Amino acid sequence: MKFFVDTADVKEIRELNELGLVDGVTTNPSLILKSGGSITEVTKEICGIVDGPVSAEVVATDYAQMMKEADVLSKIADNICIKVPLTLDGLKACKALTSDGRAVNVTLCFSANQALLAAKAGATFISPFIGRVDDIGIDGMELIGEIRTIYDNYDFKTEILAASIRTVNHVKQAAMIGADVGTMPPATLRALVKHPLTDKGLESFLADWAKTGQTIA
Ligand code: E4P
């Protein structure tokens, strides 16, 4: 499973990338707002930090304007992945952009049928929003399972990018179902390492080591 970090916080991206944990980055208009920077400047900086795909989202809702925005975003760096919404215009843009060899992430996916459409439009990634589905009282993880089954049935190459991840349990479940990618906030990524028995075990090993009086040199 690839790990993408779901943020436009350059400092966080840099730190996690140095740990070797970042396979890509996803941003959206809300995350750009939170960063306080301009979309082109922030995205360019992120693209310079990570080697993998960096999703940058169009904000137009009609096909023609989406394509213009996609051209502007594509020029930022070679590892830009254009993010389009799951609408008819978005799917049309997806088809045109991927036919032109560009990477596309179709976002705001909330149903298996939407994911099927995105795959047929040649999407590089489909982003089902687990947390937001959970928020309306439906199990977001079921959606990941449905998409996995459909994509495997027809050997679609579109990668399932589990998005709107809120918990470490979301990451585990998405990985067990076979999501290709999980995009998560930095805090969730960092939390994956935590286990009380790891802390307790380390504490006890270090205490015993100190009693040996030895050093490793
Ligand atoms: C990523 O591509 C999505 O925009 C993001 O995961 C949405 O997460 P949220 O539902 O926590 O805003």
Side-chain angles (χ1 to χ4, degrees):
M1 187 192 211
K2 284 178 264 189
F3 282 176
F4 287 3
V5 63
D6 196 25
T7 184
D9 183 326
V10 171
K11 185 172 169 285
E12 288 274 29
I13 293 168
R14 202 181 299 281
E15 283 177 14
L16 290 167
N17 190 58
E18 281 169 7
L19 293 173
L21 293 174
V22 177
D23 299 305
V25 174
T26 51
T27 67
N28 61 37
S30 306
L31 293 171
I32 295 294
L33 171 69
K34 203 170 162 190
S35 78
S38 89
I39 184 167
T40 44
E41 283 168 20
V42 171
T43 309
K44 188 170 185 171
E45 197 170 350
I46 296 170
C47 288
I49 298 169
V50 301
D51 293 331
V54 175
S55 289
E57 190 161 340
V58 300
V59 290
T61 54
D62 68 289
Y63 169 76
Q65 192 59 28
M66 277 183 198
M67 294 300 286
K68 282 186 190 161
E69 291 181 0
D71 279 343
V72 173
L73 296 172
S74 293
K75 287 193 182 90
I76 293 176
D78 288 343
N79 54 338
I80 282 286
C81 176
I82 303 297
K83 212 175 183 196
V84 299
L86 217 158
T87 59
L88 290 176
D89 284 68
L91 291 171
K92 187 176 173 185
C94 174
K95 185 76 187 172
L97 291 165
T98 54
S99 299
D100 189 38
R102 287 187 260 183
V104 175
N105 175 357
V106 179
T107 190
L108 291 166
C109 172
F110 296 95
S111 80
N113 280 334
Q114 289 181 320
L116 179 54
L117 287 169
K120 288 181 73 67
T124 314
F125 300 104
I126 181 67
S127 288
F129 277 32
I130 299 170
R132 293 193 198 188
V133 173
D134 285 354
D135 288 345
I136 60 163
I138 300 170
D139 184 0
M141 214 50 71
E142 276 183 21
L143 175 58
I144 303 291
E146 289 170 356
I147 300 171
R148 183 72 282 156
T149 299
I150 291 169
Y151 281 12
D152 289 348
N153 282 348
Y154 298 97
D155 201 23
F156 282 121
K157 299 300 177 212
T158 300
E159 292 190 43
I160 301 173
L161 195 172
S164 190
I165 282 177
R166 306 262 170 84
T167 66
V168 290
N169 203 34
H170 277 158
V171 179
K172 179 181 79 177
Q173 288 180 293
M176 286 176 70
I177 292 168
D180 301 285
V181 190
T183 190
M184 63 204 85
T188 307
L189 209 165
R190 289 179 196 279
L192 292 175
V193 77
K194 292 190 194 306
H195 196 288
L197 292 181
T198 303
D199 295 341
K200 195 177 166 195
L202 185 60
E203 198 181 322
S204 121
F205 284 156
L206 292 180
D208 285 345
W209 180 250
K211 287 178 204 155
T212 70
Q214 298 178 46
T215 53
I216 300 174

